[in-house]
Amino acid sequence: MSPARLVLATGNRGKIREIRDLLGDLDIEVLTCDDLEGWPDLVERGETFEENATSKAMELSHWAGMAALADDSGLEVEALGGEPGVRSARYAGAQGDDAANIARLLREMEGVPAARRGARFVCVLVLASPRGESIEIRETCEGSVITAPRGELGFGYDPVFVPAAMDRTMAEMDLEEKNAISHRGKALRHLRAILEAGEPGWLLDA
Amino acid sequence: MSPARLVLATGNRGKIREIRDLLGDLDIEVLTCDDLEGWPDLVERGETFEENATSKAMELSHWAGMAALADDSGLEVEALGGEPGVRSARYAGAQGDDAANIARLLREMEGVPAARRGARFVCVLVLASPRGESIEIRETCEGSVITAPRGELGFGYDPVFVPAAMDRTMAEMDLEEKNAISHRGKALRHLRAILEAGEPGWLLDA
């Protein structure tokens, strides 16, 4: 039996680092798209995190002939009716321009008082097999959006997000501290618990 | 510290039996709505299993002041474009009339050849806290719909669903055998693994 392996359906360095930090020591080989030649562009067209994560994981898994793990995540801001949500990574136009996305978010929230700056980070993980099997996990991290960025660590909206009952932004926390409370950290720990329990069979028996 | 507890956001006896079978021996008190007085009617209005499970868990958790676990599940039939899906339990009109639902399903699929009778059971579990925290797990069970019911066990569409690589319907399997391969059994084992790993903190520290 060859060791179980999976490929990460993301090119985001920040996500890859966090996933490897939490799954890296399991007896599962974790590849990235860089390890595969000619991998397909994974496009997000869905209206929900679940749709996006599922289509990315399914598409890559089918193409690569092995299990694939996708993460779709974003920030839902109460005062903006849940925006930027699934559009978090391209809120300012270009995909993954963190500084521009943060600038737009702060602009949209100008004048919103502290009591109404509640927000939540959402992470949906989907682990899919080439045969169409999948499992899905959603986690959230509640907090609020401050008025000016603070901190150099993390990625995305981390510099303007302060988790509930904390006083520092996610960009002021090292990886271990962030993973302990973040949406992605919690979802990955759930996935880890599932893998350690010997599930799903289709991954470990492959 | 009082022992952790949760209430099941379902009145379906079949679901309650399967959930208790898989979570009953954990150090968590599992209540049902019958244990609470004046519990609210949980209405399913969503277009996805995720929406329905989330709203049921959130609503009950908020009302009961303790964690709530909801299950939304159903049968997606390929030849019917994914129907009955979220409408599985009320496909024939009245909520939970298994015989009528099966009769309608078989009528809709009259003349569909064996090779095109593929279907999947989907289960989405949502565990929510009164403070709005939640985790979500989705699992599936692939199989096909036969042309006449077989078996007396289980509930719902079990008598007409044969899991992939099996020759018996889900209604011809005892609880242990069904839970080993079913959508709900797999999702509950994932949840169990998460709970046994001491997560989510908000349930176990409550």
Side-chain angles (χ1 to χ4, degrees):
Chain A
M1 197 173 109
S2 55
R5 58 184 192 162
L6 59 85
V7 56
L8 301 182
T10 181
N12 181 313
R13 294 290 129 195
K15 290 185 184 179
I16 291 171
R17 196 168 55 235
E18 295 182 7
I19 293 170
R20 286 214 151 127
D21 182 61
L22 276 167
L23 302 182
D25 63 324
L26 291 176
D27 198 18
I28 295 171
E29 191 182 356
V30 177
L31 307 175
T32 66
C33 286
D34 292 346
D35 299 318
L36 308 174
E37 255 176 72
W39 56 282
D41 238 4
L42 302 170
V43 184
E44 303 179 351
R45 300 179 196 81
E47 281 303 308
T48 65
F49 298 111
E50 279 81 359
E51 277 178 73
N52 283 333
T54 301
S55 69
K56 287 189 285 187
M58 290 279 182
E59 215 173 300
L60 182 62
S61 175
H62 185 76
W63 179 85
M66 70 177 84
L69 176 64
D71 162 314
D72 202 53
S73 42
L75 184 68
E76 292 181 342
V77 178
E78 226 178 297
L80 302 177
E83 287 288 306
V86 291
R87 277 163 287 279
S88 292
R90 52 183 188 280
Y91 195 35
Q95 177 79 19
D97 186 341
D98 289 349
N101 288 333
I102 287 175
R104 172 159 183 208
L105 178 65
L106 295 181
R107 213 162 52 235
E108 300 280 346
M109 293 184 72
E110 249 174 43
V112 175
R116 292 197 51 246
R117 298 182 74 92
R120 84 164 55 90
F121 268 129
V122 177
C123 172
V124 172
L125 297 177
V126 171
L127 180 67
S129 84
R131 293 192 308 174
E133 295 142 317
S134 70
I135 65 175
E136 177 188 290
I137 302 164
R138 167 189 276 245
E139 258 287 8
T140 56
C141 179
E142 306 284 332
S144 54
V145 175
I146 56 173
T147 54
R150 285 197 332 242
E152 304 291 331
L153 305 170
F155 65 97
Y157 295 91
D158 287 351
V160 291
F161 184 84
V162 175
M166 310 274 299
D167 48 15
R168 281 167 305 141
T169 70
M170 273 201 177
E172 294 175 308
M173 299 175 188
D174 64 27
L175 189 54
E176 193 184 348
E177 201 179 359
K178 178 183 170 185
N179 270 346
I181 58 159
S182 76
H183 50 315
R184 186 172 301 105
K186 290 190 283 187
L188 283 165
R189 274 201 304 284
H190 299 340
L191 177 62
R192 185 188 169 93
I194 293 168
L195 296 171
E196 285 184 325
E199 307 250 357
W202 49 259
L203 173 67
L204 303 167
D205 303 338
Chain B
M1 195 173 110
S2 55
R5 59 184 192 164
L6 59 83
V7 57
L8 302 181
T10 180
N12 182 312
R13 295 289 129 195
K15 290 185 183 179
I16 291 172
R17 195 167 56 233
E18 294 182 7
I19 293 169
R20 287 215 149 126
D21 183 61
L22 276 166
L23 302 183
D25 62 326
L26 292 175
D27 198 18
I28 295 171
E29 190 184 355
V30 178
L31 306 176
T32 66
C33 286
D34 293 344
D35 299 318
L36 308 175
E37 253 176 74
W39 55 282
D41 238 3
L42 302 169
V43 184
E44 302 179 351
R45 301 177 195 84
E47 281 304 307
T48 66
F49 298 112
E50 281 80 358
E51 278 177 74
N52 283 334
T54 301
S55 70
K56 286 188 285 186
M58 290 280 183
E59 213 172 303
L60 182 61
S61 175
H62 185 75
W63 178 85
M66 69 177 85
L69 176 64
D71 161 316
D72 202 53
S73 42
L75 184 68
E76 292 182 341
V77 178
E78 226 177 297
L80 302 178
E83 288 287 306
V86 289
R87 276 163 288 279
S88 292
R90 52 183 187 278
Y91 195 35
Q95 176 79 19
D97 186 340
D98 290 349
N101 288 332
I102 287 176
R104 172 159 183 207
L105 177 66
L106 295 181
R107 211 160 56 234
E108 300 282 345
M109 295 185 72
E110 250 175 41
V112 176
R116 293 195 51 245
R117 299 183 73 94
R120 85 163 57 87
F121 268 128
V122 177
C123 172
V124 172
L125 297 178
V126 170
L127 180 66
S129 83
R131 292 192 309 174
E133 296 142 317
S134 70
I135 65 175
E136 176 187 290
I137 302 163
R138 167 190 276 247
E139 259 287 6
T140 57
C141 178
E142 307 283 334
S144 54
V145 174
I146 55 174
T147 54
R150 284 196 334 242
E152 303 293 330
L153 305 169
F155 65 98
Y157 295 92
D158 285 351
V160 291
F161 184 83
V162 175
M166 310 276 297
D167 48 16
R168 280 167 307 141
T169 69
M170 274 202 177
E172 294 174 308
M173 300 175 187
D174 64 28
L175 189 55
E176 192 184 350
E177 201 178 357
K178 178 183 170 186
N179 271 346
I181 58 160
S182 76
H183 51 314
R184 185 171 301 106
K186 290 191 283 187
L188 283 166
R189 276 200 303 284
H190 299 339
L191 177 62
R192 186 188 169 93
I194 292 168
L195 296 171
E196 286 183 325
E199 305 249 356
W202 50 258
L203 174 66
L204 303 169
D205 302 341

